Amino acid sequence: MKVSDISLKKKIGALTVLQILASSVVAVSLLMVFSSITGSMREMTGYEEIKSSALRGNVAMLKAREYEAEFLIRHDEKWSARVENSIAEVNRSLDRLDSINRNHKIKEHSATARKLAGQYLERFKKLADNARSNGFNQQLIADEIGRASCRERG
């Protein structure tokens, strides 16, 4: 059977089937692309949430350092409580980060940050106790910080 022997109606029917198949392939390809885009958008949303949590943790840590200085300068206990609250905020930011994150490396950094925040708070409490016990004498506080720093290094 030659192509010229096929009726025009059959040729149009075959062409229509080919167009439908080609359209189906294009449609499936588009669906796959849109699914990939949606997945990427979800990842980007996760990325933005991770970035936001990390930024909140950084800000809370900076506030803790500011409140530490205020405590030592003003000799007022409200600043000591604010340091503790800021470190609690650091930990809440890390909790949020851990709940939305799947990346192993970020989880390692989060664990390290949590450990360092705990160490900072522990050292601040010792510093605050020493400051209170020596009447907020700035020279005695500085000497204690220097001794603690030397113990850590050597």
Side-chain angles (χ1 to χ4, degrees), residues 11-92:
K11 287 179 185 176
I12 291 174
L15 186 58
T16 302
V17 168
L18 283 174
Q19 287 178 335
I20 290 172
L21 286 173
S23 296
S24 297
V25 168
V26 169
V28 168
S29 297
L30 278 173
L31 287 174
M32 290 172 53
V33 168
F34 285 129
S35 293
S36 296
I37 290 170
T38 301
S40 295
M41 291 301 289
R42 276 193 215 111
E43 288 176 18
M44 285 179 63
T45 300
Y47 170 77
E48 288 300 320
E49 288 182 51
I50 289 169
K51 192 168 92 172
S52 176
S53 292
L55 181 60
R56 278 194 302 276
N58 280 337
V59 169
M61 191 65 221
L62 290 171
K63 284 183 178 181
R65 295 302 315 269
E66 176 188 356
Y67 299 152
E68 173 189 359
E70 293 294 339
F71 172 76
L72 293 172
I73 292 167
R74 298 181 189 277
H75 313 163
D76 189 337
E77 289 299 320
K78 76 178 181 183
W79 299 106
S80 177
R82 288 181 182 179
V83 168
E84 291 181 31
N85 290 338
S86 291
I87 296 301
E89 178 61 31
V90 168
N91 286 320
R92 282 190 296 276

Side-chain angles (χ1 to χ4, degrees), residues 95-153:
D95 290 342
R96 175 73 179 135
L97 188 87
D98 288 342
S99 73
I100 59 177
N101 171 50
R102 292 186 181 114
N103 183 298
H104 178 68
K105 197 70 167 169
I106 293 174
K107 285 193 183 286
E108 287 177 8
H109 292 307
S110 176
T112 300
R114 191 177 305 279
K115 180 181 173 185
L116 291 171
Q119 289 174 353
Y120 170 80
L121 185 59
E122 179 184 319
R123 290 176 182 157
F124 170 75
K125 286 180 178 180
K126 286 180 185 175
L127 175 67
D129 289 343
N130 287 338
R132 289 180 198 106
S133 68
N134 64 40
F136 288 92
N137 182 312
Q138 297 298 320
Q139 185 57 50
L140 292 174
I141 293 169
D143 291 345
E144 180 59 33
I145 291 171
R147 282 192 296 276
S149 202
C150 287
R151 283 191 301 266
E152 286 177 12
R153 282 189 236 141

